[in-house]
Every structure is written in C-alpha cells, then in structure tokens.
C-alpha cells in the first residue's frame, strides 16, 4: 500500500514538473537563474538590514552627543539657578521644613508638622503631605536636602486610592 502511494506521488510530481520536457541546457540555465535570483534577493535583504542598522547606530550616536551637550548645559543652569542657602541651613528644623514647603508651593499639601526625636538623640521633624504628584515629590526632596541641609531618616510613601497618580508622604527629617 505504501508502494502505491509512492507511485501516485511520483506520477503527480511528473505531471507538475513541466521542465522535464525542456532540453538539459535550458533546465540548467533555469536552475542557475533561480540560484542567481535567490542569491540576489538574499543579498538585497542583508544589505537593507545592514544599512538600517548603520543608520540606527548613527542616530543613536547623534542623540547621545546631543544628550551630553544638553546635560552639561542643564547641570550648569541648575548650579547657577539655585545655590545652597546658608540662612535656611541655620534655621531650626521645624521652621526650615515649613519655610521650604512654602517656598516650593506645597504648604497647602502639608498636613502635619511635628517634632521627632531620632534614635541617635538628634532633633528631627515629621512631615505629612497629602496628594503629591511625582514632580512635587522630587522638588520637595531636592529642596529639603539642598537648601535646608536636611536628611531623610524615614519615608513612607502611599498611593492614594481615589487617584493613583497622587500619593501621600510621611517624612522624618534630621540635620
């Protein structure tokens, strides 16, 4: 039975192979043409992928060069924009924390300010903020450390259930 299927398959293949009636020189030429077209298509695909890769590398290098240039300018602008403020660094911790919150516009989000004693015996302050956005949080942490000379002892960060893009923050700071 297997032998019969093989014969019928060969018979069908013989009817499909129209080139068997061609002279051997013409068949050889057709095979060479098929080989040449396959090779040319493969080379064209490879060259297009290679060119795309090279263009991508050039764009990445240009972007990195621009990023380095811009980041140097940003660092320079940030250093000129605001320097450390020695008057705030010498204020009591409670007053400094409240004044820094007011300066960056977070006084309305500041819910609670309490004195806190650190385990090391240092004076500290506990701040509780509600409904902070990510830019607010970053500005707060940068301002507290840079302008007030305050360091974070503990920080509790909770996302709000009513709006997941906002968060509540509890900070314990010390100098």
């Amino acid at each position: 039975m297997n032998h019969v299927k093989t014969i019928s398959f060969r018979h069908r293949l013989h009817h499909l192979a129209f080139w068997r009636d061609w002279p051997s020189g013409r068949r050889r030429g057709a095979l060479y043409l098929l080989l040449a077209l396959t090779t040319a298509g493969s080379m064209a695909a490879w060259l297009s992928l290679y060119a795309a890769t090279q263009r991508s590398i050039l764009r990445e290098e240009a972007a990195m060069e621009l990023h380095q240039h811009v980041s140097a300018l940003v660092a320079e602008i940030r250093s000129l924009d605001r320097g450390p403020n020695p008057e705030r660094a010498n204020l009591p911790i409670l007053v400094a924390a409240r004044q820094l919150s007011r300066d960056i516009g977070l006084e309305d989000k500041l819910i609670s300010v309490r004195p806190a004693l650190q385990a090391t015996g240092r004076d500290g302050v506990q701040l509780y903020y509600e409904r902070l956005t990510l830019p607010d949080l970053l500005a707060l942490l940068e301002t507290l450390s840079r302008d007030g000379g305050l360091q974070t002892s503990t920080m509790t960060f909770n996302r709000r259930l009513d709006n997941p893009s906002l968060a509540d923050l509890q900070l314990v700071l010390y100098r």
Side-chain angles (χ1 to χ4, degrees):
M1 183 166 174
N2 219 357
H3 182 60
V4 174
K5 287 184 179 179
T6 306
I7 291 174
S8 69
F9 177 71
R10 283 185 186 167
H11 183 65
R12 282 189 219 148
L13 185 62
H14 182 67
H15 288 293
L16 292 176
F18 58 90
W19 60 82
R20 290 187 186 256
D21 296 335
W22 291 356
S24 65
R26 191 170 178 193
R27 274 189 275 167
R28 188 177 306 123
L31 287 176
Y32 286 147
L33 180 63
L34 179 64
L35 179 64
L37 289 175
T38 303
T39 304
S42 298
M43 287 297 291
W46 182 82
L47 284 173
S48 68
L49 289 174
Y50 180 74
T53 303
Q54 293 302 315
R55 284 192 306 267
S56 172
I57 289 171
L58 290 175
R59 279 193 304 255
E60 182 181 348
E61 288 172 354
M64 286 303 292
E65 184 178 320
L66 182 62
H67 171 72
Q68 289 173 351
H69 180 67
V70 169
S71 65
L73 289 174
V74 167
E76 183 180 340
I77 289 170
R78 290 184 87 179
S79 68
L80 294 175
D81 186 28
R82 289 194 254 170
N85 193 342
E87 298 98 31
R88 289 188 188 148
N90 295 329
L91 290 175
I93 295 176
L94 285 167
V95 176
R98 204 172 190 103
Q99 187 174 3
L100 290 170
S101 294
R102 187 178 320 119
D103 289 347
I104 59 174
L106 295 179
E107 188 175 26
D108 59 331
K109 296 180 181 184
L110 180 61
I111 303 303
S112 170
V113 179
R114 294 184 207 151
L117 187 62
Q118 300 293 310
T120 59
R122 296 181 187 166
D123 287 334
V125 62
Q126 179 182 14
L127 306 173
Y128 187 76
Y129 292 91
E130 283 187 343
R131 305 183 63 82
L132 288 178
T133 62
L134 183 61
D136 291 342
L137 174 66
L138 294 175
L140 174 67
L141 293 176
E142 182 181 10
T143 303
L144 288 174
S145 67
R146 185 190 60 224
D147 294 342
L150 301 172
Q151 296 178 358
T152 304
S153 170
T154 60
M155 180 168 86
T156 306
F157 185 78
N158 296 316
R159 285 177 42 183
R160 295 188 59 91
L161 295 176
D162 59 340
N163 188 350
S165 66
L166 300 176
D168 296 339
L169 178 70
Q170 179 181 352
L171 285 169
V172 177
L173 303 168
Y174 69 94
R175 235 186 232 143

